[in-house]
Amino acid sequence: MESMKRSPTFLVGTSQQRDILGEFQKREQHFTEEYSKNKPLCFSARAYQQTHPAKVRMGYKDADATLTSPMLLGVCDGVSQLEEFKMDPSLLPNELLRTCEELAMLQLMPDMQVSPQDQYRGPISLLKEAYEETESFGSTTVLLAALDNSTRIHGKLHPMIAVLSIGDCELLMLRRTNGRQSDLEAVFHTEMQRIDYNVQTPLQLARVDERIDEEFDESIALEVIEKGSAVHCVSAYEGDVLILGSDGVFDNLFLDEIVEICNEILPASTGAEFTPMPAKFLSQVAQRIVKESHAKSDGHGGQFLDTPIGKGGKVDDTSVVVGEIIEWTEAHKEIWSQVRRNRKWKDVMSCGGMQCGAGPTRQPCCGEDDDGRKRGDDGSEGGSESDEEDSRCSIS
């Protein structure tokens, strides 16, 4: 079966990656010269992931990981092939994103005192520090979206999203470019990083032992982050919608299909003022994207549908983060100040929603379903003007 030939992601060796890092490096800034209110922003996000039924039947473990927090979103797609070496391919992706979240809590929260050593220096520095703090073995692609509220243009606050990608996870940003009552349209999209354009050999961030690669040294992983990552800084506005997905999404769905799903589920505002999207709608979009991605490679009745990589697409674990950019409020500040003091990551992890756990109309944490129940580990169900010099989005 043609689609099954595309199913696994293969581990890429040290020497093979080191020689081609320069081909993938990007350092780009995408500014939109328009200004809204001078206010800090944050993410409200939901995630969903599911192993493809065909991979379940083959005994593969879901090695994807997702992150939904107020200032950082992420997707990691671990290499399942490592199971052949008696390694758990999900450990490094999950540990890496947890560590990135802790660093983002220290570096990116608005209006909070940050010591000089903890200052945010861009997504590359954040990911390098996170990798150095992890211990798990594995290999994974990485996609991060960091919301930086420190950027100023012409003295005015201009929040930016710094997107870092290593491998073939992708990010799609949508915006209602013709007013709040208009449909969402694609305004930015990252590109995949694949060696020789092979769907099975994306650029990867790894930590392996001599059983897998005798030439491996952690310096190559840091080199991948520094020299191989693609980094984009993009203007962020209230109401923008971000879709972060593993290759199981973007190999199977065309961009216009994803945009159509979002417009079908996320209604345009009927009033003049912006209103944050109910969290359940973000969940519905994430689940629908995964469902439609798997449907492309099912081949019911022997009929395979068209995909960006050909008929039948790719049988793969599929993970999605759907985030909306909303205003960072005093309620957010109070909650996350307490979280930062208590460091209770597991109890209140990943809450980007408005007034999570506070006020008369409690919004669920991103680690819960919209009815307040905890999700499983797999994500399945069951401000003032200033005359300061410009401070541009950090890349390093």
Side-chain angles (χ1 to χ4, degrees), residues 8-12 60-61 63 77-93 136-140 204-209 211-213:
T9 295
F10 295 142
L11 183 72
V12 179
Y60 283 104
K61 182 174 183 176
D77 185 357
V79 179
S80 298
Q81 186 191 11
L82 291 176
E83 289 188 81
E84 299 174 9
F85 299 90
K86 308 302 181 183
M87 288 185 179
D88 185 340
S90 69
L91 293 181
L92 180 60
S136 299
F137 287 98
S139 188
T140 184
Q204 299 160 29
L205 184 62
R207 179 184 291 113
V208 296
D209 58 25
R211 292 176 298 164
I212 298 172
D213 188 349

Side-chain angles (χ1 to χ4, degrees), residues 26-261:
K26 285 190 177 182
R27 304 290 182 262
E28 298 181 353
Q29 302 199 35
H30 308 261
F31 291 102
T32 303
E33 289 293 335
E34 58 181 85
Y35 298 98
S36 301
K37 296 178 181 178
N38 292 315
K39 57 186 179 185
L41 303 173
C42 67
F43 294 121
S44 173
R46 293 294 184 269
Y48 187 75
Q49 64 190 78
Q50 189 176 62
T51 305
H52 193 284
K55 291 194 72 174
V56 173
R57 291 192 294 269
M58 291 187 289
Y60 283 104
K61 182 174 183 176
D62 187 351
D64 286 5
T66 58
L67 170 62
T68 55
S69 66
M71 296 298 149
L72 188 68
L73 305 179
V75 173
C76 283
D77 185 357
V79 179
S80 298
Q81 186 191 11
L82 291 176
E83 289 188 81
E84 299 174 9
F85 299 90
K86 308 302 181 183
M87 288 185 179
D88 185 340
S90 69
L91 293 181
L92 180 60
N94 281 281
E95 185 186 8
L96 187 65
L97 287 186
R98 283 196 305 269
T99 309
C100 285
E101 179 182 28
E102 294 180 10
L103 292 173
M105 288 286 295
L106 291 172
Q107 299 177 8
L108 287 166
M109 306 304 272
D111 305 322
M112 293 188 182
Q113 295 296 321
V114 179
S115 60
Q117 64 267 29
D118 290 330
Q119 287 184 345
Y120 175 69
R121 296 177 177 84
I124 295 176
S125 295
L126 187 147
L127 183 57
K128 283 177 59 181
E129 185 175 351
Y131 176 83
E132 291 176 321
E133 291 186 11
T134 61
E135 298 178 350
S136 299
F137 287 98
S139 188
T140 184
T141 61
V142 182
L143 176 63
L144 300 175
L147 188 44
D148 181 4
N149 283 289
S150 66
T151 304
R152 293 180 180 274
I153 300 178
H154 307 317
K156 293 185 178 181
L157 185 65
H158 190 96
M160 301 284 291
I161 297 174
V163 182
L164 181 150
S165 61
I166 297 173
D168 54 7
C169 295
E170 294 185 59
L171 178 145
L172 176 64
M173 175 184 275
L174 309 179
R175 182 176 297 154
R176 302 186 191 277
T177 58
N178 295 313
R180 299 203 186 279
Q181 288 77 37
S182 64
D183 284 343
L184 290 161
E185 299 179 11
V187 295
F188 174 74
H189 174 228
T190 62
E191 298 176 349
M192 292 184 174
Q193 297 174 306
R194 286 175 165 166
I195 298 171
D196 297 328
Y197 303 99
N198 190 321
V199 299
Q200 296 172 313
T201 55
L203 192 65
Q204 299 160 29
L205 184 62
R207 179 184 291 113
V208 296
D209 58 25
E210 64 279 356
R211 292 176 298 164
I212 298 172
D213 188 349
E214 294 182 352
E215 299 180 10
F216 178 79
D217 184 274
E218 289 202 0
S219 63
I220 181 59
L222 298 177
E223 198 173 336
V224 169
I225 297 172
E226 294 174 347
K227 298 182 179 180
S229 60
V231 179
H232 304 264
C233 285
V234 188
S235 295
Y237 296 98
E238 197 174 46
D240 286 354
V241 173
L242 275 65
I243 310 295
L244 290 76
S246 63
D247 57 323
V249 173
F250 290 93
D251 278 342
N252 289 317
L253 296 182
F254 294 99
L255 296 186
D256 58 352
E257 293 176 312
I258 298 174
V259 175
E260 185 177 346
I261 291 171

Side-chain angles (χ1 to χ4, degrees), residues 308-325:
I309 63 171
K311 286 188 177 295
K314 184 177 185 181
V315 174
D316 204 358
D317 300 333
T318 307
S319 55
V320 183
V321 171
V322 180
E324 182 182 40
I325 298 177

Side-chain angles (χ1 to χ4, degrees), residues 42-46 70 238 274-279 282 324-333 335-336 350-366:
C42 67
F43 294 121
S44 173
R46 293 294 184 269
E238 197 174 46
F274 170 76
T275 303
M277 199 66 61
L282 303 178
E324 182 182 40
I325 298 177
I326 64 174
E327 181 179 0
W328 172 265
T329 66
E330 283 299 314
H332 289 102
K333 181 178 178 180
I335 294 166
W336 285 98
S350 304
C351 166
M354 172 68 175
Q355 295 190 4
C356 170
T361 56
R362 177 188 182 277
Q363 294 284 341
C365 287
C366 294

